[in-house]
Amino acid sequence: MYAISGVLYIDEMGYAMSRLEIESSLSEDGNAIHEDSSSRQTKKLLKNLDNDIAQITKLKSTPHQRLVHGTGRPELPVSPVKLLAGREANYSGRGRFSSADRCHLLSRYLPVNGPWLIDQMASRAYVSQFSADGSLFVAGFQGSHIRIYNVDKGWKVQKNILTKSLRWTITDTSLSHDQRYLVYASMSPIVNIVNVGSAETESLANVTEIHDGLDFSSSDDGGYSFGIFSVKFSTDGRELVAGSSGDSIYVYDLEANKLSLRILAHMSDVNTVCFADETSHLIYSGSDDSFCKVWDRRCLISKGKPAGVLMGHLEGITFIDSRGDGRYFISNGKDQTIKLWDIRKMSSNVTCNPGYRTYEWDYRWMDYPPQAKDLNHPCDQSVATYRGHSVLRTLIRCYFSPAFSTGQKYIYTGSHNACVYVYDLVSGAQVATLKHHKSPVRDCSWHPFHTMLVSSSWDGDVVKWEFAGSGDIPASSTKRVFRRHFYENYL
């Protein structure tokens, strides 16, 4: 048994556990797990974290009480041996691990080893996301290319898409839940949709395959040519929601093939938008006006009237990720913070103006002003704030970790300083920093079932990180398929 870079190697089988509870501050370089001064400050601030989200997160990753009490020290993790013994004794009553048992075990194994290079392009990577089932991975580049990789077949390129009428860059992509269609957006009112289920590998717009253009402009746009920053499929695949530089939110009905809703939602660019859950009734939006807003499509009495507003960011919002429960979401802000929100705390309208700015600043080319780092919003409604990463130059994205393997007990984000950061949701501690890239990491994605994370950067690299120590040789596709079968059938 030996330790390398803060990771404990248990035996020759290669199973590894990140020693988050014991060795979080021992290592300081490479891809090591560590906690810096900013994360200690965040941890102190989160002592009064909202009890509801803390308890929900705890319940999702706390094993059976008989196992916890048997350790004598309930604050420590239950060993894999005790968990296996509990499964054999059928503590869950189902003859297998409960979801809490599974998350308690797997959430200790962070994807910190590597990275292994998946692809290297000559242009900036702007988007990188796993499909809902983890079998496919989508990466979008500024140089007009979108690549879809088959994860279970050794990351073979399943679809190489050359985009149509691209303006500046691919700003966003979204893959339908059934993995049949992909939409991509740029600085244009037109969102293109591609049939990715076809047999063709090379997809050249309107030459080898049709890339249908979906027009998001409406009669009241006044002929203004806006760009779309964010686009997402609904879970049922029938609708798209989008946010634009025209300060608006759009809902597009794919079955009727027409725009069904436009809301002049904010006072500035709508950088991010998403459905709150699988019902698609609630929509979250974030804007350069610094506000997060909640929209309930069931009671849109008047145009532009949200169900509620959430204040707390001091600068524009770059990305929102929903927890999927219609209650909590996180947002990345140009004030260099991630904030956790509970929509039950929202206001009916904007209740105060922070009146904080005494300086000129543009995040596209300037560093964040030192005098702004200690400012706080006087009417901050967020549940928690996480600091340590940097949000500059581009719309950096943040996410909850997967429910299946971690119980969503972490949040993670790209960063302008070329790293990926992982924070503990409840304590706020920075539990991992992944270092490889040479340019900003705009997007990253944690596999929904495996302990694997993929990051993409403006340096053109798309790389994967895993938990298992496997030297310089990436895990084979056979092992990945086996792990997926093991997780789904035995954990």
Side-chain angles (χ1 to χ4, degrees), residues 347-363:
S347 301
S348 58
N349 51 49
V350 178
T351 57
C352 71
N353 187 331
Y356 63 92
R357 181 176 280 197
T358 57
Y359 52 85
E360 292 297 323
W361 177 66
D362 190 324
Y363 100 118

Side-chain angles (χ1 to χ4, degrees), residues 25 35-36 130 153 173 273 315 353 395 404:
S25 60
E35 182 179 318
D36 61 15
F130 281 106
K153 292 184 178 178
T173 66
V273 65
E315 301 287 349
N353 187 331
L395 303 178
F404 179 87

Side-chain angles (χ1 to χ4, degrees), residues 141-146 161-166 170 184 192 203-205 211:
F141 301 87
Q142 188 174 17
S144 301
H145 281 279
I146 300 172
I161 300 169
L162 186 62
T163 61
K164 173 186 176 183
S165 306
L166 189 69
I170 295 162
Y184 61 87
N192 289 284
S203 180
L204 180 59
H211 292 200

